[in-house]
Amino acid sequence: MSENTNPVPDAELAALDRMVGTWKVTGGAEGTVTYRWLEGGHFLVQDIDLEQYGERILGMEVIGRERPFGAEQASVDIKSRYYGHKGDTLDYVYELEGDVLTIWGGEKGSPAYMRSTFNETGDVLSGAWVYPGGGGYETTSTRITPADR
């Protein structure tokens, strides 16, 4: 993360630093995603270029703690919002416990989620999206470029 005068992010958010870099995604969606920190280290940005079910998916996601206008405290959960090239916005909650990353669709505890596990070197993340009523898919992300530090 870049050096600056902003407060140091908390340990739970800083743990997502292992995502920084470009990843090749295979499985139910194919393509690349790139993670990078915004200056200050409070928000992780994901740039998305995937194909799923024959359709291209372009977008970006901002991941961090919400702190609405006037709020003194940031949110307990690490939240994100995805912005897609077709105008869609999707909200998620990120939870990293050890080597297991869970991305909840909407709110924590949602029946729609992705649960993946990092390998020993941290360069492969494998798991699956689960959707209520079925339709989920397995996915593997493999780091293709190291973090730009």
Side-chain angles (χ1 to χ4, degrees):
M1 285 184 268
S2 301
E3 193 173 319
N4 60 59
T5 59
N6 293 332
V8 175
D10 61 83
E12 188 178 3
L13 182 59
L16 293 178
D17 191 57
R18 69 193 304 179
M19 305 289 294
V20 173
T22 299
W23 300 75
K24 179 181 179 183
V25 178
T26 58
E30 307 270 332
T32 60
V33 296
T34 300
Y35 293 87
R36 60 186 166 79
W37 288 105
L38 283 182
E39 183 68 29
H42 295 276
F43 297 99
L44 187 63
V45 176
Q46 178 184 195
D47 296 305
I48 298 138
D49 187 350
L50 299 171
E51 185 172 318
Q52 185 176 38
Y53 309 121
E55 188 174 336
R56 192 156 186 211
I57 301 167
L58 298 171
M60 58 94 65
E61 181 179 20
V62 179
I63 305 159
R65 297 201 190 271
E66 288 182 343
R67 191 172 68 195
F69 184 74
E72 293 184 25
Q73 296 282 329
S75 62
V76 173
D77 292 329
I78 296 174
K79 298 184 177 187
S80 77
R81 175 159 286 170
Y82 164 82
Y83 300 90
H85 75 288
K86 293 184 177 180
D88 46 334
T89 59
L90 303 170
D91 294 328
Y92 299 96
V93 173
Y94 275 64
E95 183 177 42
L96 180 62
E97 293 180 343
D99 289 333
V100 177
L101 174 66
T102 304
I103 302 173
W104 303 97
E107 298 295 325
K108 192 172 182 177
S110 167
Y113 62 91
M114 181 192 75
R115 185 161 291 132
S116 296
T117 303
F118 284 96
N119 70 348
E120 287 182 12
T121 63
D123 290 326
V124 177
L125 183 62
S126 298
W129 276 99
V130 175
Y131 300 128
Y137 60 90
E138 291 188 11
T139 183
T140 299
S141 297
T142 305
R143 189 186 312 271
I144 56 176
T145 63
D148 182 21
R149 299 192 203 265

